[in-house]
Amino acid sequence: MPKNDAVNNPGSGRNLLSREKSPYLLQHADNPVHWYPWGDEAFARAKAENKPVFLSIGYSTCHWCHVMAHESFENPDIAEVMNRYFVSIKVDREERPDLDNIYMKAVMSLTGSGGWPLSAFLTPDRKPFYGGTYFPPDSQWGRPGFKQVLLSISEAWQNNKDNLVRSSESLTQHLQAKTFDEPVGAGPSPDAETCAAAYAQYRRSFDARYGGFGEAPKFPAAHNLSFLLRFWKRTGEPMALQMVETTLTEMAQGGMSDHIGGGFHRYSTDQRWHIPHFEKMLYDQAILTKAYLEAYQAVRNERYARTARDVFEYVLEKMTDDLGGFYSAEDADSVDPEEGVKREGAFYVWGHQEIVDLLGRDAAELFNYVYGVEPHGNALSDPQGEFTRKNILYAARTVEEAAQRFGKTLDEVQRILDNAKEKMFEIRNRRPQPHRDDKVLVDWNGLMISSLALGSRVLEEPRYRDAAEKAAQFILKTLVRNDGRLLHRYRDGEAGIPGSLEDYAFFIHGLIDLYEATFNAEYLKTAVQLTDDMIRLFWDEREGGFFFTATDAEPLIVREKELYDGAIPSGNSMAALDLLRLGRLTLNRDWDSKAQRFFRTFGQELTSAPTAYAQSLSALDFALGPSREIVLAGDPRNAQTQAMIKSLYSRFIPNKVVILRPASLKAAEAIMAVVPFVENQKPLQGQTTAYVCKNHACEFPTQDIQKFEQLLEQ
C-alpha cells in the first residue's frame, strides 16, 4: 500500500489533495473520493492494483466543475464506486496546462467537443481511452450518468481490457501524429496574402449589429481585434477598423462589462453581450485592455481609454497581491444574500426595488433608464433560473439620451450616475464575495505586465507602470530558481512547477514593454537572458518552432507544439514576436532567422485556417515590415524627451521597438550592452535627438518635435 494512503482514508476526513497549494485541488480535499494529485504514486497504484485511472481536470472558478463536484464527487455512493474501481486524479488546468492540452485534445478526438470539467479515463501508463466533459450523476436527456459511465468502464476493464488498451495506443499514436513533425518548408510560407485571407474570413463571420464573430456564445478573443487593427494600419481597409470599433463598443456597453466595479466577465452567453458567464479571468483583463489601448491610439476615442482605465483599476483593487503579483481569477458563483445559496452572478445582479431603495426614486429612475433596469428583471434568457426578477446592468442608453429625457445637462447626468455607482459599489462589496483564485501565474502575469506598461505610456498614468514593475520584480525575486529556471506558479509562500513556453514567452513580452515604460535596461537584459533560455529549453532544432514543454520537463505521452490561439495567445506565436522584437534591438541574426523558420514550420496551418492563429498573424505583420527602430537620445527627465515620448505613444505604431539612449556615455553603457547599435546615436547640440529608422535604415536625426512627428506619420 502506498505510504500516503492513510490520508486517502474516509476516517481522516481529508484526502491527499489537502497537501496541495492549488485552490482548485484544495476545493476537493474534503471529498469522499480518494483523490491523488498528478504524479508517479497514483499511476504506480493503478498498475499494482490493475485499475484504470479517472482523470478530472478543471479550475477553481469553473461553474460546471462546481456542479459536477457537488453532484458526484461529494456523493458518497458515487465516491465509493470511484474508490473501489479506479485510481482518481485531480489536476488544476491552470497549474498544468501541459496536461490539459494533451488530454483535452484526446477527449475532443473521441467526442468532437471539449470543455471543463474534463473527464478522461486512462490506462496505468497514462494513455487515454475514453472521456467527456460534465457528466450528470444519473442518466438524463440521453446523456449517460456518471455512475453508469463508471460502472460500464469498470466492467469493460475487467472483461475487455485488451481492447481498451489497444484503443489507448491508437489514440496516443493519433495525438503524437499531430505534433507538427512534417519537414520544414513542406507547406506554403505565409505572406501578406495570408493576412488578407484572415481579414476576409473575419469579415464573413462578423456580426455587424452587435460586433464580435458568429452568434452565441461570444468570446472576447481580443487578439483577433489586435490583428485587425494591424491589418487596418497596413492596408487602410476601413471595414477592418469598423469591426474592431463595433466590437469594442458593444462589449463595453453590454452586461459582459462590470459597470459598477470594472473589468470584464469571461464571455457572453447571448449574441448581444448582455448575459455573461460571470467569472473574471486575469488574462481577459490583460488582453482586452491591450486592444482598447491600441484602438485608443488609432482613433483617439476617449471611451476606449475610459474602459481601459476601469479595467486597470479593477485589477489593482481586486486582483493584486500585496507582494505585487496578480491573482488568477474570480468565480462566477457566489452566495445569494437573500436566499443563502450559491448562484451564478449573485454578486453582480440587482433587483429594481433594491436600486430605488438605495438611490432614491429620482436618481434611481435616471440610473435605471441608462442601465436598462426593469421592474421584473431584464435577462432575455435564463435557462438555469439564476436571474429571476434580477437585472444585469448594461448601457441601454447614452448620457446624451438621459440628459434629453430628464431635462438635465450632461454634467448633471454624469454626476448622478457616478454618485449612484459609488453607492452601489459600496453596498455590493457587503455582499458575499465570489471566490478568488489567488495563485500567481507567471504567464498570465506577463500579459498583465505588458498591458499595464503600455497603459502607463498611452494613458500617462505612472501608477500602472509602478504596478507592472512591482509584479515583474516579484516574479524575478520569487519565481526564478537559483539556477535561473523560471517557474510557473506561486501561492501561499511556495513557488513551484517548471515554467512552460507560455511562461517564458509571455513574461519576456511583458519585460520588453516594461523596458519601454521605464527605460530601465535591466529589464531588457533579463528579457535577452530568458530568450536564450527559452531557445535552449523549448526550440526544436530539427523541425523548427517551440515545444510547449521544456527539455527538463516531466516526460508525457506527447511533447506538443501548440499554435492555436484559444482564450490566450499560443506560446509559439508570442515567442515568435519576442524573437522579432529582440532581434531588431540586439541585431541577433540567429533570432531573426528562427522567427523566419517559425513561419515556414507552421506555414500550412497559418495559410489553411489563418483566423485560428491571430497572434501569429500579428507576429507575421511585424515580420513583413517595415518595422521601426526609434531611438531617443537624451535625458529621460528632459521636457523635450518627455514631449517626444508622449507624441510617440499617442500614435498606433504596432511594429516598432523604442530605445532610450542616455546622454552621457557612462549612463548609456547599460543599454549599449544590450542594444549595440545605439553607441553612436548621441544627443546632438545638447538637445534630445530622435533617430527614426525602418529596418535599420535611418532618417536624418532631428531635435524638432514636428519633424519627429512627420517621420512617425510616414
Side-chain angles (χ1 to χ4, degrees), residues 205-222:
S205 63
F206 177 63
D207 180 347
R209 172 61 185 88
Y210 297 110
F213 305 95
E215 296 182 355
K218 278 186 176 173
F219 291 82

Side-chain angles (χ1 to χ4, degrees), residues 696-709:
H696 296 296
C698 298
E699 303 283 351
F700 283 112
T702 183
Q703 297 91 24
D704 183 85
I705 191 166
Q706 290 184 333
K707 177 62 176 176
F708 175 61
E709 291 173 342

Side-chain angles (χ1 to χ4, degrees), residues 362-437:
D362 292 343
E365 186 180 3
L366 188 149
F367 181 90
N368 292 342
Y369 175 79
V370 171
Y371 286 100
V373 176
E374 302 288 346
H376 301 292
N378 67 3
L380 299 176
S381 63
D382 185 16
Q384 304 299 322
E386 303 274 14
F387 311 125
T388 303
R389 300 186 68 83
K390 296 294 184 180
N391 289 273
I392 300 165
L393 303 182
Y394 71 105
R397 298 174 183 88
T398 65
V399 172
E400 289 78 9
E401 288 174 309
Q404 185 174 3
R405 167 74 179 268
F406 293 94
K408 297 182 182 298
T409 66
L410 296 178
D411 287 344
E412 287 173 333
V413 170
Q414 193 61 59
R415 188 162 54 250
I416 292 170
L417 294 176
D418 290 343
N419 289 339
K421 287 182 180 182
E422 287 181 15
K423 291 179 180 178
M424 294 172 74
F425 180 77
E426 181 182 345
I427 292 298
R428 197 178 76 171
N429 279 342
R430 298 178 190 173
R431 296 174 177 175
Q433 300 278 322
H435 158 73
R436 182 173 60 199
D437 189 319

Side-chain angles (χ1 to χ4, degrees), residues 29 319 556:
M319 298 290 283
L556 302 175

Side-chain angles (χ1 to χ4, degrees), residues 14 72 95 105 118 174 191 197 208 251 314 343 382 385 437 460 518 578 603:
R14 307 207 87 195
S72 294
E95 280 198 340
K105 284 187 173 69
L118 187 69
H174 171 71
D191 54 20
M251 280 197 300
Y314 159 71
R343 294 188 184 278
D382 185 16
D437 189 319
E460 300 181 80
T518 63
D578 291 341

